[in-house]
Amino acid sequence: MKNRRVEKSSLIAEAIRHNYLALAEDKININLSGKYGYLESAYYFSQDLENRQETVRPTCKEILDAYIVPVSLEKAKLAGIGIPNYYLTNGYFEPPVIIDPINPFMWRSSIILKSSRKAQIAKSLTRNYTYAICCQELPPLSKVVTFHAVMGWSVSERYRKIAEAIWKIFSIPVATVRIIITDDDGIIFSSISDLAFESLNMRELAYLQERITWAE
Amino acid sequence: MKFGQVARRQGHDVDYLFRPDMYKIPQYDAIFIRALTDPLNSSYIAARIAELHGVRVIDDPASIFICCDKVNMYSHLQGANVPIPDTLFFQKSDLTIKKGAELLESIGSPFVLKAPNSSFSMYVEKIETAEAFVKIGHRFLRRADRIVVQKFIRSEYDWRVGVLGGEPLYVCQYTIPKKQWKVLTYVENGRIIYGPVKAFELENANPRLLETAVRAGSAIGDGLYGVDLKQVGDDFVVIEVNDNPTIAANEEDRKAPLLYEKVVRYLMKERG
Ligand SMILES: Nc1ncnc2c1ncn2[C@@H]1O[C@H](COP(=O)(O)OP(=O)(O)OP(=O)(O)O)[C@@H](O)[C@H]1O
């Protein structure tokens, strides 16, 4: 156990030393930071490479496509991935829904199952009806689940197919993926968000080690 | 809105869409966004959904995310050799008194500090001391992981050239109010001071001004931009390229009677 911890911290130290920049099998730069928020360091890291005309995954546009929930849903749908019904609203919604705020100040999503506090929730998540919210309808008896996706792979076999599809469509190498599992065990895509490289587990780090070499 | 009237006169149908109508975007031939654009606002979603569905759109997503981030915007201008004031980018580890003092020496005193996602001149400050560089720098870094340092260029007005699809569309001057240095300035109790807008005919504008503005627009993309420039001797430097530029009746359009027609024709790909 102790050894594994040492191994993990040295792998992470190595990643930091390389600014999380690695090369994949196809020699394309991969930004493995996992925290790609708009205007954050890793976003700028990709931007710098792009502005030097180097190829990198993800690009700034790919980051925005993945992190802006309604855009990610639309892109997934066009690529043939199952998504829930969703709508943008200034306040009105019908539970059960997953709500993602669309504004520069809030990221955290909420799952609203019952109608009782609908009005207050709408008011607070739209910041007094100033901003939009994105609502994903939850099918009856469904479950909301998140998993770690690393370069199209997941520790759990059950999620590998969707992890692979998401990597192909969105080019986000290190991500938390939110999915909805329907009552007939179907998987539908719901969102992509941060997964700090530092919080990858040993199996995920080992998988990455096999797929990449650190860039100089 | 004038755009609607003009488009109808040209034989097009026009609808106004609001946020809950976004799912209708794929049904249209073209979308013209008039809203505060930012990648984290719903305007970006409209732009990107339009693009994903092959619907022509002003502003296109790339123009929004390049122009809304001054680091990206200036990097594009530098990459295309468009004249801009000396410009450097910094991150948290650079925010030291020593660095501030060096900059006041090298780039000159005062210099201008900008948060990358400033708009309405809200996060643009003149820096005269190393301490102010550190203090204001930290404040701006709460909004983004980088900040922009730029040489201060003195002037009495900003030129604003509207550029559409690589061609000049309109020209005006935004006057800087007396005792201020920005076109828009916030003073106590939230009041905004701004100078008058003076329009010029494209035919009478300095060709170098227009040429520099067009190059700046092309460094970003093929859409609609409001390029801000300052005159330095006989030359012009670009201060900013804005996506979604303001087009107000009797101001920007005053000496550009074909402005609305041109935007509609561009959207409907009727230019030739
Ligand atoms: N390098 C500079 N030297 C002198 N003045 C500057 C400089 N950069 C910006 N300014 C002035 O500061 C104001 C705001 O600058 P800028 O356009 O970069 O920021 P902004 O927040 O995007 O503003 P806006 O949305 O009003 O365009 C303008 O009036 C401009 O003339």
Side-chain angles (χ1 to χ4, degrees), chain B residues 176-193:
Chain B
I176 295 171
K178 289 229 159 37
K179 296 205 204 129
Q180 308 290 343
W181 63 279
K182 299 191 275 197
V183 170
L184 276 178
T185 304
Y186 289 77
V187 289
E188 292 98 75
N189 57 44
R191 209 158 61 86
I192 306 174
I193 313 181

Side-chain angles (χ1 to χ4, degrees), chain B:
Chain B
M1 203 165 113
K2 197 91 186 268
F3 280 104
Q5 289 168 13
V6 171
R8 286 200 180 97
R9 216 183 306 135
Q10 292 184 15
H12 304 297
D13 292 328
V14 178
D15 291 328
Y16 295 93
L17 300 184
F18 299 92
R19 285 171 187 160
D21 304 318
M22 269 200 221
Y23 70 95
K24 296 182 191 158
I25 287 174
Q27 304 164 11
Y28 288 85
D29 296 313
I31 304 282
F32 185 43
I33 298 173
R34 295 274 85 190
L36 181 68
T37 50
D38 185 285
L40 304 184
N41 279 349
S42 34
S43 49
Y44 186 82
I45 299 171
R48 186 67 179 121
I49 286 183
E51 187 183 59
L52 282 169
H53 287 273
V55 176
R56 208 156 153 85
V57 62
I58 295 179
D59 309 288
D60 64 285
S63 293
I64 296 177
F65 74 74
I66 296 169
C67 292
C68 290
D69 167 8
K70 292 185 199 294
V71 173
N72 207 351
M73 187 247 306
Y74 291 127
S75 299
H76 275 79
L77 296 177
Q78 285 170 334
N81 283 321
V82 174
I84 61 172
D86 292 345
T87 300
L88 299 164
F89 309 125
F90 293 104
Q91 53 195 17
K92 199 165 171 192
S93 53
D94 301 312
L95 277 188
T96 60
I97 297 282
K98 184 164 169 265
K99 186 83 195 172
E102 273 170 30
L103 285 170
L104 288 163
E105 274 291 311
S106 60
I107 209 160
S109 173
F111 62 77
V112 180
L113 188 62
K114 307 183 181 190
N117 48 351
S118 172
S119 55
F120 308 113
S121 308
M122 288 228 266
Y123 299 91
V124 174
E125 298 279 355
K126 217 155 55 168
I127 301 293
E128 301 183 17
T129 65
E131 289 74 21
F133 168 67
V134 174
K135 189 166 164 226
I136 298 173
H138 276 294
R139 177 154 65 84
F140 285 2
L141 281 171
R142 269 187 247 141
R143 302 174 50 82
D145 285 342
R146 288 211 188 155
I147 47 173
V148 178
V149 162
Q150 198 167 60
K151 186 181 174 68
F152 179 74
I153 309 285
R154 205 169 296 280
S155 69
E156 283 159 33
Y157 45 78
D158 281 2
W159 285 103
R160 164 64 66 95
V161 180
V163 172
L164 175 70
E167 284 173 26
L169 186 65
Y170 61 86
V171 192
C172 42
Q173 256 179 15
Y174 294 162
T175 315
I176 295 171
K178 289 229 159 37
K179 296 205 204 129
Q180 308 290 343
W181 63 279
K182 299 191 275 197
V183 170
L184 276 178
T185 304
Y186 289 77
V187 289
E188 292 98 75
N189 57 44
R191 209 158 61 86
I192 306 174
I193 313 181
Y194 49 91
V197 180
K198 196 166 144 195
F200 289 77
E201 267 126 19
L202 278 172
E203 297 73 34
N204 299 336
N206 186 328
R208 285 175 91 145
L209 170 71
L210 301 185
E211 186 233 347
T212 311
V214 165
R215 279 179 54 209
S218 303
I220 310 296
D222 183 48
L224 172 65
Y225 309 100
V227 182
D228 293 341
L229 307 97
K230 288 188 191 286
Q231 188 158 5
V232 181
D234 289 338
D235 289 320
F236 295 90
V237 290
V238 175
I239 295 291
E240 177 169 46
V241 182
N242 297 280
D243 64 308
N244 213 277
T246 309
I247 297 174
N250 270 324
E251 296 197 338
E252 285 79 2
D253 68 354
R254 210 182 161 88
K255 297 284 171 75
L258 293 179
L259 192 162
Y260 301 98
E261 278 81 354
K262 284 182 181 169
V263 172
V264 173
R265 285 214 304 274
Y266 173 92
L267 278 169
M268 300 310 294
K269 286 204 221 165
E270 288 167 359
R271 284 183 320 149

Side-chain angles (χ1 to χ4, degrees), chain A residues 38-41 43-44 47-48 51 61 64-65 68 70-71 74 78 88 90 102-104 107 130-132, chain B residues 19-20 22 39-42 44-45 48-49 51-53 65 68-69 71-72 75-76 116-117 144-146:
Chain A
Y38 175 60
L39 304 188
E40 288 179 27
S41 302
Y43 179 88
Y44 278 125
Q47 188 186 102
D48 288 344
N51 285 338
K61 192 165 185 179
L64 296 171
D65 280 352
I68 300 172
V71 173
E74 205 62 25
L78 290 173
L88 294 187
N90 291 328
I102 310 290
N103 76 59
W107 280 108
T130 309
Y131 295 98
Chain B
R19 285 171 187 160
M22 269 200 221
L40 304 184
N41 279 349
S42 34
Y44 186 82
I45 299 171
R48 186 67 179 121
I49 286 183
E51 187 183 59
L52 282 169
H53 287 273
F65 74 74
C68 290
D69 167 8
V71 173
N72 207 351
S75 299
H76 275 79
N117 48 351
D145 285 342
R146 288 211 188 155

